[in-house]
Amino acid sequence: MERYVGYDAGGYYPGKDFGLVRHYAAAIDEPGNVYEHDSTFQDITHSRDAYVGEFICRSGYRSGKVCGHVRSLGIAAHYSDGPVYNLVSTSFCSQGGDSGGPLYHADAALGIQSGHITYSTGECYSLFQHVNEALDWYNAEVY
C-alpha cells in the first residue's frame, strides 16, 4: 500500500548518497516509525552516529529486517555512476531495492542504506550513509 508522505526536498549524489522527503501528510499518525517487517514498528526519536562494534538493525524493502554489527566507518564505495565517501560498513548483506532504508539501534536513527559490496569470496557487506550528514545538509532533524 502506497501513501503520500511528503515531497522530495532534494538529494546529494555522488560524493554522498542521500535524499530527503519533507513530511507533509497530517493523515500519517506516526511518520517517525520504522516498519520492521514482522508487523511491528520501532519508534525513532533521535539520531546519532554509529560506532564500530555496535549492534544495529536495518529495514529493507526487499530483504526485510536484518540485524548485525557495525564493521567499520569511513568506507568509500566506487559505484558505476560515481564514488560515495564516509560510509558505515555492516556485518550483513542487502539486496537491490533496499537502498534508502534505515539503519538504527533501538530508537536512534544511524544511517541510510546506500548499497552493498560483494567480494569474490562471497562475503557481502551493506553500506550506509551517516544519517546526521543528511540531516545537517538540510538543517533537519528526525521527526
Side-chain angles (χ1 to χ4, degrees):
M1 174 177 74
E2 293 183 27
R3 297 190 304 177
Y4 175 77
V5 175
Y7 63 92
D8 177 358
Y12 189 138
Y13 185 86
K16 300 190 181 299
D17 187 7
F18 57 77
L20 179 72
V21 173
R22 291 213 185 257
H23 179 280
Y24 198 72
I28 296 177
D29 296 334
E30 298 182 35
N33 288 346
V34 170
Y35 177 61
E36 296 192 301
H37 296 272
D38 59 0
S39 299
T40 63
F41 294 85
Q42 172 62 54
D43 187 27
I44 301 298
T45 62
H46 64 285
S47 65
R48 64 174 176 77
D49 292 332
Y51 58 86
V52 174
E54 178 175 15
F55 180 78
I56 40 87
C57 296
R58 72 109 162 89
S59 181
Y61 176 77
R62 291 283 306 276
S63 45
K65 179 184 176 182
V66 178
C67 297
H69 294 90
V70 174
R71 290 184 62 245
S72 56
L73 305 172
I75 300 299
H78 298 279
Y79 301 128
S80 61
D81 49 354
V84 178
Y85 303 102
N86 196 29
L87 297 171
V88 176
S89 173
T90 65
S91 63
F92 47 76
C93 196
S94 60
Q95 298 178 38
D98 287 337
S99 293
L103 178 70
Y104 58 100
H105 173 90
D107 61 350
L110 306 174
I112 304 165
Q113 173 86 44
S114 174
H116 64 273
I117 297 175
T118 303
Y119 295 98
S120 59
T121 60
E123 290 179 285
C124 179
Y125 305 110
S126 293
L127 301 172
F128 291 82
Q129 176 75 58
H130 292 273
V131 73
N132 280 339
E133 284 188 59
L135 293 171
D136 289 349
W137 180 260
Y138 291 104
N139 193 29
E141 59 188 48
V142 171
Y143 185 85

